[in-house]
Amino acid sequence: MANPIQFIQQTRGEIAKVSWPTRREVLLTTVMVFVMAFVAAVFFWLVDFLIRMGLTGLLSLFS
């Protein structure tokens, strides 16, 4: 078991190896997440609307 100082040194060494994204990459990824969430929301709204209209039409035949 390593002592706490060695642990901290090893941790800092591993953190230095991490490839951190640039500000532009973070911004672009964030925008893409919002765009894809919007597209998914519109898609599921459209599917819900079509199913609701289909069921309403089908049920109106029996009333």
Side-chain angles (χ1 to χ4, degrees), residues 5-19:
I5 295 188
Q6 282 180 326
F7 175 76
I8 291 172
Q9 289 172 341
Q10 290 172 356
T11 303
R12 290 185 61 143
E14 291 298 321
I15 289 174
K17 295 178 187 177
V18 173
S19 174

Side-chain angles (χ1 to χ4, degrees), residues 21-60:
T22 64
R23 182 177 294 267
R24 184 176 186 276
E25 290 172 336
V26 171
L27 180 64
L28 187 62
T29 305
T30 303
V31 168
M32 288 306 298
V33 167
F34 280 110
V35 167
M36 292 306 293
F38 178 76
V39 168
V42 169
F43 171 76
F44 286 116
W45 175 82
L46 182 62
V47 169
D48 179 59
F49 178 76
L50 292 173
I51 291 172
R52 184 179 42 204
M53 294 306 293
L55 285 175
T56 302
L58 186 63
L59 291 175
S60 69

